[in-house]
Amino acid sequence: MAATLILEPAGPCCWDEPVRIAVRGLAPEQRVTLRTSLHDEKGALFRAHARYRANARGELDLERAPALGGSFAGLEPMGLLWALEPEKPLVRLVKRDVRTPFAVELEVLDGHDPEPGRLLCRAENQRDFLQPGMRREPVRAGRVRAALFLPPGKGPFPGVIDLFGSGGGLCEYRASLLAGHGFAVLALAYFRFEDLPEDLNDVRLEYFEEAVDFMLQHPEVKGPSIGLLGFSKGGDLCLSMASFLKGITATVLINACVANTVTPLRYKDMIIPKLVDDLGKVKITKSGFLTFMDTWSNPLEERNHQSLIPLEKAKGPFLFIVGMDDQNWKSEFYAQIASERLQAHGKERPQIICYPETGHCIDPPYFPPSRASVHAVLGEAIFYGGEPKAHSKAQVDAWQQIQTFFHKHLNGKKCVKHSKI
């Protein structure tokens, strides 16, 4: 009997959905190598491989069989996805156009390294970023430049604004995936996109206030408030939005600072200065990558008091997602400052989830952990930290925690469907 590669689900699935990979029709105890490959929109190639041994019936199920080596080892049912590595160094896998899927090629080859033998079978796994029936609406409302994602079915839906960091542009993949779990999500650009400023040097909170108003006035968004999801620089912007703007009742921060960073933030007649930094303290790793963690001064120092964000003014709870090996800044320390400040003002202590061996860029599940890549604005190779296996597990759990938090505080639900992994 010829070998057959079996995928469950067999057809297209969402990127954040696990897929079961099995092989039938092998010889008893046969040694095989499984390979995956993927091309991004710019043609960059990402590959992974792992060595396995079939059971006595000539079957292989990645949910039960541990990898014997390769890009990873051990029981890792989704390892062939999260272990994808770029053919050219320092290329990070991101989805630029969520309207098209990623096509993951899977191959089964006879034997093990260094030279696997003949190709036994292959299959393709189409991984979508827009569920059937989901709507993507480009937003050009006043000054706001964004993309709104609406789930299938009849609204209104709980609303979330999603902000990325200092790379700029419009990043839609996290928003599109989150919308698949029942939220109306606005992926919001704030510089380096269309007619927005090219540089991050004149940031005004009124722009973000306009985005909040847009969401609250949208007929498909369930009021009277929305949530915020921010990563890195986008995280401290979300803290400022929650602290100064109305209509926000739940805020999630992924590796964010409790002070305003990078550039002063203006709102009406108020200016929040940036956290004092010293680029002379940039460190270079043995591999030649830059790390910025030591460039940031302590937010609790007297000279930084004006840059601290008064998050005690916020009207809703916070969830801090922390990578404990974040090499960009001291995310765990910042979350602790937030907790102490809120408690000192008699406010609810934030939920803080710390993930060991996890770096700065915590993406939705199954994106390969980015330990280092070239920064879109700086043009330099930045070291972000994290160990791939631990980081990938953190991404799966953090994604569930984010959904649970928003469902609880925006939708009144206590739980969500949990990953099979």
Side-chain angles (χ1 to χ4, degrees), residues 163 174 228-240 242 250-258 309 311 317-323 331 335 338 350-353 362 402 405-406:
L163 290 177
R174 188 169 63 198
L228 303 176
L229 173 58
F231 160 67
S232 195
K233 171 59 189 173
D236 72 65
L237 285 169
C238 284
L239 275 179
S240 294
T251 305
V252 177
L253 299 316
I254 302 174
N255 286 330
C257 187
V258 288
I309 299 165
L311 67 166
F318 294 98
L319 167 60
F320 284 82
I321 303 290
V322 173
S331 299
Q351 183 181 356
I352 302 173
I353 305 177
I362 300 178
I402 290 167
F405 181 83
F406 281 141

Side-chain angles (χ1 to χ4, degrees), residues 107 150 254 280 308 341 380 412:
E107 296 179 325
L150 298 169
I254 302 174
L308 272 170
R341 180 165 183 138
E380 300 281 354

